[in-house]
Amino acid sequence: MSEAPHRKRLGAEERREEIIRVTLELAARQGVDDVTTQDMAQAMGVTQGAVFRHFPSKDAIWLAVMQWVRARLMAVLGRAAAQGRDPLDALERMFRAHIDFIDGHPAIPRVLTSEHLHGRSPALRQLVTEILLAYEARVAGLLEAAKAAGLARADLDARAAATLYLGMIQGLVLQASILRDRRTLADEATRTFPVFLQAVRSPPTEGEPR
């Protein structure tokens, strides 16, 4: 079977990008573990051999997917944080940007937490670990800056609060996937983040509105 004659010929980087995008779309529809290279090829209208001309293995595709996610997510978070008026506002903007990113790429949390993928690919597991630790460090850094500015509690454990921040996102994603007909990720995120802020903010001084 050959590639469809009417299909536009793409450069190597464009084709790799297409494979990554299609892989995420398939994972969102049918689950990470069930995506095959034949599925990818069929979705793109090419042969399976054409997929393997750009990636040596299925594990290499998933590693490229996660590298793509890291580059784009970190860029999104960086832009959001740069718009913040202060460290806590930057943190909230990052949170909302992350939720929007997941809404646009619903397969990403599944890739991040797939024991099937991580068990097969130590390189992928290492990359996910690096992403989570870097993200946690960025959040903790903003919380430390908020403490220094008097915006966050002086006794706040910034690293523990950063872990809670990440866990909040993971919990919201899980809840939304289970209760998809009843609750949306965006709505629940809007309701939840103010509770987190209330927990980390400096208590108001006497006479200051609560």
Side-chain angles (χ1 to χ4, degrees), residues 102-113:
I102 293 172
D103 256 343
H105 305 89
I108 289 174
R110 301 179 186 179
V111 179
L112 282 167
T113 58

Side-chain angles (χ1 to χ4, degrees), residues 59-60 62-63 115-127:
D59 286 347
W62 283 116
L63 184 61
E115 286 296 329
H116 176 70
L117 290 181
H118 297 174
R120 278 185 6 200
S121 174
L124 179 62
R125 189 177 188 88
Q126 177 62 30
L127 179 57

Side-chain angles (χ1 to χ4, degrees), residues 37 40 48 65 71 97-98 126 129 158-159 191:
T37 51
M40 299 172 196
Q48 199 170 4
V65 166
H98 192 167
Q126 177 62 30
T129 298
R159 193 167 69 83
R191 292 176 60 248

Side-chain angles (χ1 to χ4, degrees), residues 44-63:
M44 292 186 295
V46 301
T47 65
Q48 199 170 4
V51 174
F52 285 119
R53 280 201 294 273
H54 297 278
F55 293 99
S57 66
K58 185 178 175 182
D59 286 347
I61 295 173
W62 283 116
L63 184 61

Side-chain angles (χ1 to χ4, degrees), residues 112-183:
L112 282 167
T113 58
S114 172
E115 286 296 329
H116 176 70
L117 290 181
H118 297 174
R120 278 185 6 200
S121 174
L124 179 62
R125 189 177 188 88
Q126 177 62 30
L127 179 57
V128 171
T129 298
E130 292 172 2
I131 293 171
L132 291 176
L133 290 177
Y135 195 170
E136 182 183 68
R138 173 174 284 193
V139 173
L142 284 171
L143 289 168
E144 290 290 358
K147 286 171 63 176
L151 299 172
R153 307 175 63 94
D155 62 348
L156 179 68
D157 183 330
R159 193 167 69 83
T163 300
L164 180 61
Y165 172 101
L166 293 175
M168 183 167 53
I169 294 175
Q170 293 166 347
L172 288 170
V173 169
L174 177 61
Q175 183 188 74
S177 69
I178 296 173
L179 304 175
R180 65 185 68 182
D181 297 328
R182 300 184 181 185
R183 301 177 185 178

